mmCIF file of all heavy atoms in Angstrom:
data_model
loop_
_atom_site.group_PDB
_atom_site.id
_atom_site.type_symbol
_atom_site.label_atom_id
_atom_site.label_comp_id
_atom_site.label_asym_id
_atom_site.label_seq_id
_atom_site.Cartn_x
_atom_site.Cartn_y
_atom_site.Cartn_z
ATOM 1 N N ARG A 272 -93.992 19.913 123.027
ATOM 2 C CA ARG A 272 -93.620 21.277 123.513
ATOM 3 C C ARG A 272 -93.675 21.320 125.060
ATOM 4 O O ARG A 272 -94.549 20.708 125.644
ATOM 5 C CB ARG A 272 -94.633 22.279 123.073
ATOM 6 C CG ARG A 272 -94.657 22.528 121.548
ATOM 7 C CD ARG A 272 -95.528 23.643 121.105
ATOM 8 N NE ARG A 272 -96.938 23.589 121.774
ATOM 9 C CZ ARG A 272 -97.790 24.576 121.723
ATOM 10 N NH1 ARG A 272 -97.561 25.662 120.996
ATOM 11 N NH2 ARG A 272 -98.992 24.463 122.313
ATOM 12 N N TRP A 273 -92.632 22.008 125.627
ATOM 13 C CA TRP A 273 -92.556 22.034 127.126
ATOM 14 C C TRP A 273 -92.763 23.433 127.606
ATOM 15 O O TRP A 273 -92.102 24.388 127.083
ATOM 16 C CB TRP A 273 -91.269 21.438 127.606
ATOM 17 C CG TRP A 273 -91.267 19.926 127.556
ATOM 18 C CD1 TRP A 273 -90.765 19.167 126.654
ATOM 19 C CD2 TRP A 273 -91.895 19.122 128.537
ATOM 20 N NE1 TRP A 273 -90.938 17.887 126.951
ATOM 21 C CE2 TRP A 273 -91.680 17.784 128.081
ATOM 22 C CE3 TRP A 273 -92.599 19.329 129.742
ATOM 23 C CZ2 TRP A 273 -92.236 16.726 128.843
ATOM 24 C CZ3 TRP A 273 -93.088 18.269 130.482
ATOM 25 C CH2 TRP A 273 -92.922 16.970 129.941
ATOM 26 N N PHE A 274 -93.631 23.581 128.627
ATOM 27 C CA PHE A 274 -93.892 24.892 129.261
ATOM 28 C C PHE A 274 -93.340 24.790 130.610
ATOM 29 O O PHE A 274 -93.632 23.834 131.430
ATOM 30 C CB PHE A 274 -95.371 25.241 129.209
ATOM 31 C CG PHE A 274 -95.934 25.507 127.881
ATOM 32 C CD1 PHE A 274 -96.162 24.316 126.991
ATOM 33 C CD2 PHE A 274 -96.110 26.733 127.419
ATOM 34 C CE1 PHE A 274 -96.696 24.657 125.781
ATOM 35 C CE2 PHE A 274 -96.579 26.996 126.174
ATOM 36 C CZ PHE A 274 -96.952 25.899 125.316
ATOM 37 N N PHE A 275 -92.526 25.771 131.124
ATOM 38 C CA PHE A 275 -91.905 25.779 132.402
ATOM 39 C C PHE A 275 -92.522 26.872 133.344
ATOM 40 O O PHE A 275 -92.782 27.973 132.824
ATOM 41 C CB PHE A 275 -90.368 25.928 132.257
ATOM 42 C CG PHE A 275 -89.702 24.784 131.663
ATOM 43 C CD1 PHE A 275 -89.679 24.650 130.286
ATOM 44 C CD2 PHE A 275 -88.992 23.941 132.430
ATOM 45 C CE1 PHE A 275 -89.107 23.480 129.716
ATOM 46 C CE2 PHE A 275 -88.323 22.880 131.866
ATOM 47 C CZ PHE A 275 -88.331 22.598 130.452
ATOM 48 N N THR A 276 -92.633 26.523 134.623
ATOM 49 C CA THR A 276 -93.263 27.502 135.550
ATOM 50 C C THR A 276 -92.774 27.211 136.937
ATOM 51 O O THR A 276 -92.406 26.031 137.310
ATOM 52 C CB THR A 276 -94.730 27.621 135.479
ATOM 53 O OG1 THR A 276 -95.164 28.712 136.189
ATOM 54 C CG2 THR A 276 -95.372 26.354 135.945
ATOM 55 N N GLY A 277 -92.851 28.114 137.773
ATOM 56 C CA GLY A 277 -92.650 28.122 139.204
ATOM 57 C C GLY A 277 -92.790 29.468 139.755
ATOM 58 O O GLY A 277 -92.777 30.437 138.972
ATOM 59 N N GLN A 278 -93.026 29.597 140.973
ATOM 60 C CA GLN A 278 -93.150 30.926 141.520
ATOM 61 C C GLN A 278 -91.941 31.368 142.405
ATOM 62 O O GLN A 278 -91.309 30.466 142.930
ATOM 63 C CB GLN A 278 -94.430 30.922 142.349
ATOM 64 C CG GLN A 278 -95.667 30.367 141.739
ATOM 65 C CD GLN A 278 -95.929 30.993 140.338
ATOM 66 O OE1 GLN A 278 -95.937 32.185 140.122
ATOM 67 N NE2 GLN A 278 -96.057 30.121 139.324
ATOM 68 N N GLY A 279 -91.682 32.633 142.361
ATOM 69 C CA GLY A 279 -90.622 33.150 143.156
ATOM 70 C C GLY A 279 -89.225 32.573 142.517
ATOM 71 O O GLY A 279 -89.123 32.570 141.361
ATOM 72 N N ARG A 280 -88.365 32.245 143.512
ATOM 73 C CA ARG A 280 -87.076 31.709 143.034
ATOM 74 C C ARG A 280 -87.065 30.426 142.318
ATOM 75 O O ARG A 280 -86.327 30.120 141.401
ATOM 76 C CB ARG A 280 -86.109 31.660 144.157
ATOM 77 C CG ARG A 280 -85.544 33.003 144.613
ATOM 78 C CD ARG A 280 -84.744 33.029 145.928
ATOM 79 N NE ARG A 280 -83.855 31.900 146.081
ATOM 80 C CZ ARG A 280 -82.624 31.963 146.323
ATOM 81 N NH1 ARG A 280 -82.049 33.186 146.392
ATOM 82 N NH2 ARG A 280 -81.830 30.848 146.573
ATOM 83 N N SER A 281 -88.174 29.728 142.575
ATOM 84 C CA SER A 281 -88.385 28.345 141.769
ATOM 85 C C SER A 281 -88.655 28.650 140.402
ATOM 86 O O SER A 281 -88.261 27.949 139.472
ATOM 87 C CB SER A 281 -89.538 27.548 142.498
ATOM 88 O OG SER A 281 -89.179 27.057 143.676
ATOM 89 N N GLY A 282 -89.299 29.929 140.179
ATOM 90 C CA GLY A 282 -89.554 30.279 138.811
ATOM 91 C C GLY A 282 -88.306 30.618 138.035
ATOM 92 O O GLY A 282 -88.261 30.399 136.806
ATOM 93 N N LEU A 283 -87.403 31.174 138.851
ATOM 94 C CA LEU A 283 -86.103 31.504 138.133
ATOM 95 C C LEU A 283 -85.334 30.205 137.806
ATOM 96 O O LEU A 283 -84.774 30.143 136.672
ATOM 97 C CB LEU A 283 -85.287 32.345 138.964
ATOM 98 C CG LEU A 283 -85.804 33.758 139.356
ATOM 99 C CD1 LEU A 283 -84.956 34.482 140.412
ATOM 100 C CD2 LEU A 283 -85.986 34.557 138.071
ATOM 101 N N VAL A 284 -85.471 29.163 138.637
ATOM 102 C CA VAL A 284 -84.910 27.928 138.295
ATOM 103 C C VAL A 284 -85.569 27.314 137.080
ATOM 104 O O VAL A 284 -84.912 26.783 136.159
ATOM 105 C CB VAL A 284 -84.856 26.919 139.464
ATOM 106 C CG1 VAL A 284 -84.452 25.532 139.071
ATOM 107 C CG2 VAL A 284 -84.077 27.523 140.650
ATOM 108 N N ALA A 285 -86.932 27.444 136.973
ATOM 109 C CA ALA A 285 -87.646 26.937 135.773
ATOM 110 C C ALA A 285 -87.246 27.651 134.591
ATOM 111 O O ALA A 285 -87.029 27.004 133.526
ATOM 112 C CB ALA A 285 -89.138 27.274 136.103
ATOM 113 N N GLU A 286 -86.964 28.974 134.582
ATOM 114 C CA GLU A 286 -86.443 29.660 133.473
ATOM 115 C C GLU A 286 -85.068 29.142 132.961
ATOM 116 O O GLU A 286 -84.781 28.899 131.811
ATOM 117 C CB GLU A 286 -86.372 31.132 133.755
ATOM 118 C CG GLU A 286 -87.699 31.819 133.849
ATOM 119 C CD GLU A 286 -87.608 33.299 134.025
ATOM 120 O OE1 GLU A 286 -86.663 33.907 133.496
ATOM 121 O OE2 GLU A 286 -88.537 33.881 134.743
ATOM 122 N N MET A 287 -84.239 28.747 133.971
ATOM 123 C CA MET A 287 -82.850 28.199 133.618
ATOM 124 C C MET A 287 -83.046 26.920 133.056
ATOM 125 O O MET A 287 -82.373 26.636 132.053
ATOM 126 C CB MET A 287 -81.977 28.321 134.882
ATOM 127 C CG MET A 287 -81.544 29.700 135.306
ATOM 128 S SD MET A 287 -80.336 29.632 136.610
ATOM 129 C CE MET A 287 -81.353 29.348 138.078
ATOM 130 N N ALA A 288 -83.920 26.052 133.591
ATOM 131 C CA ALA A 288 -84.202 24.822 132.916
ATOM 132 C C ALA A 288 -84.753 24.946 131.513
ATOM 133 O O ALA A 288 -84.321 24.118 130.664
ATOM 134 C CB ALA A 288 -85.125 23.966 133.897
ATOM 135 N N ALA A 289 -85.661 25.772 131.337
ATOM 136 C CA ALA A 289 -86.242 26.084 130.047
ATOM 137 C C ALA A 289 -85.180 26.318 129.070
ATOM 138 O O ALA A 289 -85.206 25.836 127.830
ATOM 139 C CB ALA A 289 -87.347 27.063 130.021
ATOM 140 N N MET A 290 -84.163 27.140 129.455
ATOM 141 C CA MET A 290 -83.117 27.527 128.522
ATOM 142 C C MET A 290 -82.319 26.307 128.195
ATOM 143 O O MET A 290 -81.924 26.154 126.953
ATOM 144 C CB MET A 290 -82.168 28.632 129.209
ATOM 145 C CG MET A 290 -81.015 29.012 128.313
ATOM 146 S SD MET A 290 -79.931 30.103 129.234
ATOM 147 C CE MET A 290 -80.914 31.646 129.231
ATOM 148 N N ARG A 291 -81.942 25.511 129.086
ATOM 149 C CA ARG A 291 -81.099 24.337 128.719
ATOM 150 C C ARG A 291 -81.882 23.316 127.975
ATOM 151 O O ARG A 291 -81.343 22.734 127.042
ATOM 152 C CB ARG A 291 -80.599 23.569 130.069
ATOM 153 C CG ARG A 291 -79.464 24.404 130.693
ATOM 154 C CD ARG A 291 -78.154 24.221 129.877
ATOM 155 N NE ARG A 291 -77.064 24.832 130.537
ATOM 156 C CZ ARG A 291 -76.510 26.041 130.192
ATOM 157 N NH1 ARG A 291 -76.959 26.593 129.129
ATOM 158 N NH2 ARG A 291 -75.606 26.529 130.842
ATOM 159 N N PHE A 292 -83.159 23.166 128.191
ATOM 160 C CA PHE A 292 -83.900 22.253 127.421
ATOM 161 C C PHE A 292 -84.025 22.808 125.960
ATOM 162 O O PHE A 292 -83.957 22.003 124.939
ATOM 163 C CB PHE A 292 -85.304 21.972 127.950
ATOM 164 C CG PHE A 292 -85.403 20.907 129.035
ATOM 165 C CD1 PHE A 292 -84.839 21.080 130.213
ATOM 166 C CD2 PHE A 292 -86.005 19.737 128.666
ATOM 167 C CE1 PHE A 292 -84.869 20.065 131.207
ATOM 168 C CE2 PHE A 292 -85.972 18.752 129.703
ATOM 169 C CZ PHE A 292 -85.521 18.922 130.831
ATOM 170 N N MET A 293 -84.143 24.136 125.811
ATOM 171 C CA MET A 293 -84.063 24.664 124.430
ATOM 172 C C MET A 293 -82.640 24.363 123.814
ATOM 173 O O MET A 293 -82.631 24.001 122.635
ATOM 174 C CB MET A 293 -84.224 26.241 124.528
ATOM 175 C CG MET A 293 -84.136 27.010 123.247
ATOM 176 S SD MET A 293 -82.431 27.431 122.750
ATOM 177 C CE MET A 293 -81.929 28.568 124.039
ATOM 178 N N HIS A 294 -81.622 24.510 124.537
ATOM 179 C CA HIS A 294 -80.207 24.176 124.055
ATOM 180 C C HIS A 294 -80.257 22.748 123.582
ATOM 181 O O HIS A 294 -79.589 22.425 122.603
ATOM 182 C CB HIS A 294 -79.164 24.410 125.083
ATOM 183 C CG HIS A 294 -79.028 25.841 125.320
ATOM 184 N ND1 HIS A 294 -78.559 26.316 126.634
ATOM 185 C CD2 HIS A 294 -79.044 26.848 124.628
ATOM 186 C CE1 HIS A 294 -78.377 27.581 126.649
ATOM 187 N NE2 HIS A 294 -78.713 28.018 125.399
ATOM 188 N N LEU A 295 -80.898 21.807 124.273
ATOM 189 C CA LEU A 295 -80.936 20.348 123.840
ATOM 190 C C LEU A 295 -81.890 20.176 122.610
ATOM 191 O O LEU A 295 -81.741 19.160 122.003
ATOM 192 C CB LEU A 295 -81.617 19.507 125.017
ATOM 193 C CG LEU A 295 -80.662 19.254 126.134
ATOM 194 C CD1 LEU A 295 -81.473 18.509 127.256
ATOM 195 C CD2 LEU A 295 -79.618 18.223 125.658
ATOM 196 N N GLY A 296 -82.623 21.160 122.161
ATOM 197 C CA GLY A 296 -83.436 21.019 121.025
ATOM 198 C C GLY A 296 -84.908 20.862 121.236
ATOM 199 O O GLY A 296 -85.653 20.746 120.241
ATOM 200 N N PHE A 297 -85.286 20.995 122.463
ATOM 201 C CA PHE A 297 -86.798 20.962 122.820
ATOM 202 C C PHE A 297 -87.378 22.290 122.397
ATOM 203 O O PHE A 297 -86.737 23.360 122.535
ATOM 204 C CB PHE A 297 -87.057 20.687 124.312
ATOM 205 C CG PHE A 297 -86.643 19.406 124.760
ATOM 206 C CD1 PHE A 297 -85.375 19.030 125.118
ATOM 207 C CD2 PHE A 297 -87.653 18.402 124.828
ATOM 208 C CE1 PHE A 297 -85.060 17.744 125.557
ATOM 209 C CE2 PHE A 297 -87.370 17.092 125.257
ATOM 210 C CZ PHE A 297 -86.042 16.802 125.613
ATOM 211 N N GLU A 298 -88.713 22.343 122.059
ATOM 212 C CA GLU A 298 -89.412 23.584 121.982
ATOM 213 C C GLU A 298 -89.839 23.925 123.338
ATOM 214 O O GLU A 298 -90.700 23.214 123.912
ATOM 215 C CB GLU A 298 -90.563 23.471 120.966
ATOM 216 C CG GLU A 298 -91.320 24.719 120.804
ATOM 217 C CD GLU A 298 -92.624 24.664 119.921
ATOM 218 O OE1 GLU A 298 -92.724 23.673 119.105
ATOM 219 O OE2 GLU A 298 -93.306 25.620 119.891
ATOM 220 N N THR A 299 -89.430 24.963 123.905
ATOM 221 C CA THR A 299 -89.702 25.416 125.251
ATOM 222 C C THR A 299 -90.343 26.701 125.297
ATOM 223 O O THR A 299 -90.003 27.664 124.513
ATOM 224 C CB THR A 299 -88.441 25.398 126.176
ATOM 225 O OG1 THR A 299 -87.460 26.281 125.755
ATOM 226 C CG2 THR A 299 -87.821 23.897 126.162
ATOM 227 N N HIS A 300 -91.042 26.996 126.363
ATOM 228 C CA HIS A 300 -91.685 28.333 126.622
ATOM 229 C C HIS A 300 -91.749 28.400 128.178
ATOM 230 O O HIS A 300 -91.785 27.407 128.969
ATOM 231 C CB HIS A 300 -93.123 28.378 126.101
ATOM 232 C CG HIS A 300 -93.142 28.185 124.565
ATOM 233 N ND1 HIS A 300 -92.778 29.093 123.694
ATOM 234 C CD2 HIS A 300 -93.431 26.989 123.895
ATOM 235 C CE1 HIS A 300 -92.884 28.599 122.432
ATOM 236 N NE2 HIS A 300 -93.316 27.359 122.556
ATOM 237 N N VAL A 301 -91.736 29.650 128.628
ATOM 238 C CA VAL A 301 -91.918 30.006 130.007
ATOM 239 C C VAL A 301 -93.298 30.568 130.197
ATOM 240 O O VAL A 301 -93.615 31.633 129.512
ATOM 241 C CB VAL A 301 -90.852 30.997 130.492
ATOM 242 C CG1 VAL A 301 -91.123 31.379 131.947
ATOM 243 C CG2 VAL A 301 -89.557 30.342 130.343
ATOM 244 N N LEU A 302 -94.115 29.892 131.129
ATOM 245 C CA LEU A 302 -95.437 30.481 131.270
ATOM 246 C C LEU A 302 -95.418 31.919 131.665
ATOM 247 O O LEU A 302 -94.597 32.274 132.493
ATOM 248 C CB LEU A 302 -96.231 29.669 132.313
ATOM 249 C CG LEU A 302 -96.695 28.241 131.874
ATOM 250 C CD1 LEU A 302 -97.616 27.738 133.029
ATOM 251 C CD2 LEU A 302 -97.576 28.336 130.590
ATOM 252 N N GLY A 303 -96.310 32.786 131.129
ATOM 253 C CA GLY A 303 -96.393 34.099 131.495
ATOM 254 C C GLY A 303 -95.596 35.031 130.595
ATOM 255 O O GLY A 303 -95.728 36.362 130.650
ATOM 256 N N GLU A 304 -94.663 34.519 129.811
ATOM 257 C CA GLU A 304 -93.947 35.358 128.933
ATOM 258 C C GLU A 304 -94.819 35.723 127.720
ATOM 259 O O GLU A 304 -95.720 35.056 127.303
ATOM 260 C CB GLU A 304 -92.729 34.585 128.378
ATOM 261 C CG GLU A 304 -91.629 34.343 129.338
ATOM 262 C CD GLU A 304 -91.065 35.626 129.877
ATOM 263 O OE1 GLU A 304 -90.676 36.438 129.112
ATOM 264 O OE2 GLU A 304 -90.819 35.723 131.128
ATOM 265 N N ALA A 305 -94.613 36.897 127.130
ATOM 266 C CA ALA A 305 -95.493 37.436 126.132
ATOM 267 C C ALA A 305 -95.488 36.601 124.915
ATOM 268 O O ALA A 305 -96.584 36.535 124.219
ATOM 269 C CB ALA A 305 -94.934 38.828 125.749
ATOM 270 N N THR A 306 -94.529 35.786 124.635
ATOM 271 C CA THR A 306 -94.529 35.024 123.458
ATOM 272 C C THR A 306 -94.956 33.565 123.628
ATOM 273 O O THR A 306 -94.889 32.789 122.673
ATOM 274 C CB THR A 306 -93.149 35.006 122.714
ATOM 275 O OG1 THR A 306 -92.178 34.552 123.678
ATOM 276 C CG2 THR A 306 -92.813 36.510 122.341
ATOM 277 N N ALA A 307 -95.312 33.202 124.871
ATOM 278 C CA ALA A 307 -95.697 31.832 125.154
ATOM 279 C C ALA A 307 -97.099 31.555 124.490
ATOM 280 O O ALA A 307 -98.000 32.274 124.828
ATOM 281 C CB ALA A 307 -95.759 31.598 126.598
ATOM 282 N N PRO A 308 -97.195 30.547 123.815
ATOM 283 C CA PRO A 308 -98.521 30.196 123.195
ATOM 284 C C PRO A 308 -99.370 29.484 124.238
ATOM 285 O O PRO A 308 -98.852 29.215 125.397
ATOM 286 C CB PRO A 308 -98.174 29.191 122.024
ATOM 287 C CG PRO A 308 -96.819 28.566 122.453
ATOM 288 C CD PRO A 308 -96.132 29.624 123.213
#
């Protein structure tokens, strides 16, 4: 499982990366999101 994080605009890039990794089939989460385990 992959958790993505960054602060400020780097955090937005981390969110975009998490989305693409999800598209690839990885289980991904963004730290700080309400549904992140």
Side-chain angles (χ1 to χ4, degrees):
R272 294 187 311 173
W273 282 100
F274 293 79
F275 290 76
T276 191
Q278 307 313 308
R280 286 172 37 126
S281 291
L283 298 174
V284 174
E286 288 182 35
M287 288 187 279
M290 179 185 289
R291 282 293 184 250
F292 274 71
M293 176 274 297
H294 290 148
L295 281 170
F297 289 85
E298 182 180 347
T299 64
H300 303 280
V301 176
L302 284 188
E304 292 294 315
T306 58

